[in-house]
Amino acid sequence: MADGTSPSIKSRVSEAEWQVRVELAALYRLVALNGWDDMIFTHISARVPGPEHHFLINPYGFYFDEITASSLVKVDLEGNIVQDTPYFINPAGFTIHSAVHAAREDAKFVIHLHTVNGVGVAAQAEGLLPVSQNACLLQHQVAYHGYEGLALNHDERERLVADLGDKPLMLLRNHGTLAVGETAAQAWIGIFFLERACAQQVAALSGGREHILLAPDEAQAETKEQGRGIGFISSLAWPGALRQLDRKSPGYDA
């Protein structure tokens, strides 16, 4: 049973792996801090530096605000746990995350959520609409994947990565949101902007689709170009996010 405590394993892993563990634990805590967690469900994963193609994922049964660098579980691409740990993982999380990590060398961090607003937009036929500045910044970066049921079928992996292509963001139809990044900061800023855009769309649609004001085509094109600077923004926002955790959710780096 998860009890929210884990002995430190810092001395048992490389410095590079420990740094990734700390950043991944920070992502879990940030998701919880923003109210985007789904009890013990959904997942965030990270590639472990090195040639083995191992990655880290949450222990099944922990709430996101309990996750620490030491409690994360290291697995291989077949879902086998490759460290001494009393914990186990959710196989549904393994299916989605292993697919993305295996297909995308740049996908060092993968965030998958089931938020109310994210699922709400993922269930809308038109997908993400250019109704907000956030949506205009991201619209061209968002891929779509059709719903196939609980992500337990390994055959779905090929279809999911084909739909994702080289894009950093995805709406999984009737399911949720997904963001990938070369760094934790890039994945975080991507999911933050996507979730914000989804919330703004749900709010706008509360008055009915016929009353929606879409951004002009010219403005959409201009914002698309401006959105290419989001990666730089992530490097500015990430240190502040960690400072926020130090104030409001300390202990993630244990």
Side-chain angles (χ1 to χ4, degrees):
M1 293 292 290
D3 61 3
T5 60
S6 300
S8 176
I9 66 167
K10 184 176 182 178
S11 63
R12 293 162 42 197
V13 300
S14 68
E15 183 176 343
E17 178 177 331
W18 183 252
Q19 181 61 34
V20 171
R21 284 177 171 271
V22 169
E23 293 180 347
L24 181 57
L27 287 173
Y28 277 102
R29 296 291 188 96
L30 286 167
V31 166
L33 202 59
N34 281 271
W36 295 340
D37 47 344
D38 186 17
M39 202 164 69
I40 62 172
F41 309 105
T42 78
H43 314 276
I44 313 171
S45 61
R47 170 82 180 268
V48 177
E52 297 86 1
H53 220 129
H54 293 159
F55 65 96
L56 301 164
I57 200 164
N58 51 317
Y60 203 18
F62 274 52
Y63 277 58
F64 281 18
D65 62 359
E66 297 178 314
I67 298 293
T68 65
S70 294
S71 67
L72 293 161
V73 180
K74 183 161 59 175
V75 299
D76 63 20
L77 281 173
E78 300 306 315
N80 302 305
I81 295 175
V82 293
Q83 69 175 95
D84 291 330
T85 177
Y87 310 124
F88 61 101
I89 67 168
N90 183 342
F94 159 73
T95 301
I96 291 175
H97 291 255
S98 63
V100 178
H101 282 293
R104 293 274 297 272
E105 186 64 29
D106 64 320
K108 299 295 195 302
F109 291 82
V110 180
I111 303 173
H112 170 48
L113 306 178
H114 296 162
T115 66
V116 173
N117 292 315
V119 174
V121 173
Q124 294 172 10
E126 294 179 284
L128 188 64
L129 294 168
V131 299
S132 69
Q133 180 166 276
N134 284 329
C136 291
L137 286 167
L138 300 181
Q139 200 176 26
H140 64 290
Q141 301 182 41
V142 178
Y144 294 84
H145 175 65
Y147 187 58
E148 300 187 22
L150 293 177
L152 297 171
N153 184 355
H154 286 191
D155 292 342
E156 185 180 356
R157 292 188 292 187
E158 291 184 9
R159 294 183 290 276
L160 188 148
V161 298
D163 288 337
L164 179 61
D166 62 356
K167 294 185 176 180
L169 304 170
M170 174 176 271
L171 285 174
L172 292 92
R173 293 297 196 176
N174 313 101
H175 186 172
T177 55
L178 184 139
V180 308
E182 182 81 27
T183 64
Q186 290 174 359
W188 174 244
I189 205 71
I191 202 69
F192 184 90
F193 272 75
L194 180 57
E195 287 291 341
R196 184 60 59 89
C198 288
Q200 290 161 344
Q201 179 166 321
V202 170
L205 287 173
S206 65
R209 178 65 174 85
E210 66 275 15
H211 300 299
I212 288 294
L213 178 65
L214 299 180
D217 291 343
E218 298 80 6
Q220 290 187 47
E222 179 68 16
T223 312
K224 174 181 177 179
E225 292 304 313
Q226 294 167 337
R228 301 186 190 282
I230 286 181
F232 171 70
I233 295 172
S234 69
S235 66
L236 298 177
W238 183 246
L242 297 182
R243 291 193 299 270
Q244 185 181 49
L245 283 183
D246 289 337
R247 293 191 304 271
K248 298 182 177 181
S249 187
Y252 66 92
D253 53 351

